Amino acid sequence: MASRESSTNRALVRRVTRVPAEDVPDGYPFDVDADHALELVVERRRADGSETVRAFEAWPSGGHASSRLARVLDAVGEPAGSPGALDGERVVLESRDGAYRVDVDGTYALHEEATRAGVNTHALAELVVAAGALVGLFAFFLAWTPLERAAVPLAALAAVVLAASLGYDAWQTRDRAWTPHPLPWTAGGAVPVLNVAVAVAYLARKAVAVDDSADADRVWRDVLAGTVVAFAVGLALAAFDLTFPLGATVFAHAWALAPVAVFLDGRSARHEHAPKRAPWLAGAVVFGGAGALVYLLRTDGLQ
């Protein structure tokens, strides 16, 4: 009876092939009642390494929607009509009499666990991005105080943290609404002062993609409006000795954010007629928040 007991094993699907039912080995203990079968070549983990085994699923003749194969695909997050999508997926196997098939419930649990871990990892990475931005702001603030010697190491720390966290989070983000390219975000995160602006832009864009993807293209209008306000407030605060360090910090970073927001807004799909990015970007680089304000007024940004 011991040989009839089932056990579960994590495995990685290496190849997926549709084969005639005759190719299923005689004595295969799991039901494959169909004219064809889906053969899965999987790499199974073992205590002493790994081994390659085969598992079979019945290929439904009446459609995939209500079949066991559909449940297997759903367990890994793929649509019922795409059996080939199992290639490269992680699954859990159940074994009986030395033969294997996919354990649907175990595979569901495996992917739910991975999803929870991914969400936690993303949340942590976003917190690190936010913390890095705050460190960058604080470093710039200290540059205008008697503690200016601490500004350089803090700015360097912020650059390392932001480059690493932005790159990692962008690499991990795979969403139908937004899939960022890691390299430009990593590069932007490595440049002092600019990296804070890049972090703000990244977090704003991701928040909209996650919470309300319908407003994704309009997020840059809001970022630009906030940039203009911050630019003006920073300039006003910098006019007084007491608030000069704070004003200079807000003013400089609003200036850095202006061209970033103009560039990203110009690429968005919210404009009826796409603005010419080069002159507007140059204006934001030279004039900061003032250039961003003119951009908003002269494009359809306030409509």
Side-chain angles (χ1 to χ4, degrees), residues 217-251:
D217 288 328
R218 293 192 292 272
V219 66
W220 304 121
R221 179 189 60 190
D222 299 334
V223 171
L224 281 163
T227 299
V228 171
V229 172
F231 187 81
V233 170
L235 184 61
L237 290 174
F240 303 95
D241 290 341
L242 182 63
T243 56
F244 177 80
L246 177 61
T249 301
V250 174
F251 179 77

Side-chain angles (χ1 to χ4, degrees), residues 150-293:
V152 173
L154 281 177
L157 174 63
V160 172
V161 169
L162 285 173
S165 57
L166 283 167
Y168 176 79
D169 195 73
W171 176 58
Q172 289 290 320
T173 300
R174 295 291 182 272
D175 189 272
R176 281 176 292 182
W178 186 51
T179 300
H181 297 290
L183 184 58
W185 294 106
T186 301
V191 181
V193 181
L194 178 64
N195 54 10
V196 175
V198 170
V200 170
Y202 181 86
L203 292 175
R205 179 62 180 86
K206 185 170 182 181
V208 173
V210 171
D211 296 333
D212 189 2
S213 59
D215 287 336
D217 288 328
R218 293 192 292 272
V219 66
W220 304 121
R221 179 189 60 190
D222 299 334
V223 171
L224 281 163
T227 299
V228 171
V229 172
F231 187 81
V233 170
L235 184 61
L237 290 174
F240 303 95
D241 290 341
L242 182 63
T243 56
F244 177 80
L246 177 61
T249 301
V250 174
F251 179 77
H253 287 87
W255 196 313
L257 181 56
V260 173
V262 166
F263 174 76
L264 293 171
D265 182 75
R267 296 178 60 195
S268 70
R270 72 178 184 85
H271 298 281
E272 183 178 350
H273 302 289
K276 295 181 179 179
R277 281 183 290 170
W280 289 118
L281 181 60
V285 169
V286 174
F287 299 107
L293 176 60

Side-chain angles (χ1 to χ4, degrees), residues 19-26 35:
V19 298
E22 292 78 13
D23 286 3
V24 178
D26 293 336
D35 294 333

